[in-house]
Amino acid sequence: MSEPLSQQYREILVGLGENPEREGLLDTPKRAAKAMQYLCHGYQQSLEEIVNGALFESDNDEMVIVKDIELYSLCEHHLLPFIGKAHVAYIPTGKVLGLSKVARIVDMFARRLQIQENLTKQIADAVQSVTNAAGVAVVIEAKHMCMMMRGVEKQNSVMSSSVMLGAFRESYNTRHEFLQLIGRNN
């Protein structure tokens, strides 16, 4: 755990008018620093580490979808959480990606300070670069605490973002099938 980070959390407590020496706050700077390091551990990961060679030969050329991948990230503007789910699809061209690797790719990018729009694109670009797929689609739906806990305080708002690459961008039918399979196109 980073001692400088812990000290900075102590200074935040002082800045808020709190007494970091009171019983309930004695270990808070250390706990907060450890929590923030965990929430941002995506910075210590690389795509190569995450995939770890888990690409497998396959003659399947039909859509592969992993949906409802829960994600937890921190808004880079307010350092407040946004929480939601990602739906990721790709059309293989000779190789398929190990199933857990899709979720790990989502986590790696989500565990960095982010905005949802960039997170969506980073996931799509990563899946594309690893699989060389004919197309990649990513939809993320998330609730943002920066909008729920402060500011306009809209409790039921959900942000949706999508990135469509290759066949998902070029073909209405492919895009429509994906959206229908994830329950977003009635």
Side-chain angles (χ1 to χ4, degrees):
M1 195 245 335
S2 168
E3 188 59 38
L5 189 56
S6 178
Q7 185 59 36
Q8 290 166 344
Y9 273 107
R10 185 180 193 290
E11 294 304 315
I12 289 171
L13 291 173
V14 170
L16 292 172
E18 264 293 356
N19 173 8
E21 300 302 319
R22 77 173 170 87
E23 182 182 3
L25 294 177
L26 279 175
D27 291 328
T28 297
K30 290 178 190 168
R31 286 191 301 262
K34 187 176 179 180
M36 185 60 80
Q37 287 174 324
Y38 178 79
L39 295 173
C40 293
H41 73 264
Y43 290 117
Q44 278 68 57
Q45 297 177 308
S46 71
L47 191 55
E48 295 74 27
E49 285 175 334
I50 295 294
V51 173
N52 195 25
L55 275 171
F56 307 102
E57 297 287 330
S58 175
D59 59 0
N60 177 41
D61 62 356
E62 297 294 327
M63 191 181 305
V64 175
I65 301 174
V66 184
K67 64 185 232 177
D68 296 327
I69 304 166
E70 67 268 5
L71 67 87
Y72 308 93
S73 194
L74 292 174
C75 163
E76 67 185 33
H77 298 143
H78 301 98
L79 300 182
L80 290 173
F82 64 93
I83 300 163
K85 55 188 171 183
H87 313 288
V88 180
Y90 68 98
I91 300 172
T93 56
K95 294 194 182 279
V96 293
L97 184 59
L99 177 61
S100 71
K101 303 308 181 183
V102 175
R104 290 181 193 280
I105 289 169
V106 170
D107 283 346
M108 179 182 74
F109 289 113
R111 295 303 185 156
R112 299 175 182 185
L113 301 180
Q114 280 289 8
I115 61 171
Q116 182 175 328
E117 299 90 333
N118 290 349
L119 174 59
T120 310
K121 182 160 178 26
Q122 290 167 350
I123 294 166
D125 289 344
V127 172
Q128 177 64 47
S129 74
V130 168
T131 63
N132 195 28
V136 175
V138 178
V139 170
I140 294 179
E141 302 163 309
K143 290 185 167 228
H144 292 250
M145 295 304 128
C146 58
M147 196 166 152
M148 296 170 68
M149 294 176 67
R150 54 160 300 286
V152 296
E153 296 185 29
K154 298 301 177 201
Q155 304 308 305
N156 297 306
S157 61
V158 176
M159 178 179 174
S160 294
S161 55
S162 70
V163 171
M164 306 286 169
L165 304 176
F168 290 96
R169 178 179 287 272
E170 296 158 9
S171 168
Y172 168 82
N173 289 336
T174 303
R175 185 172 49 256
H176 180 77
E177 178 184 353
F178 166 66
L179 293 171
Q180 198 166 37
L181 288 169
I182 65 169
R184 299 304 173 267
N185 203 6
N186 299 326

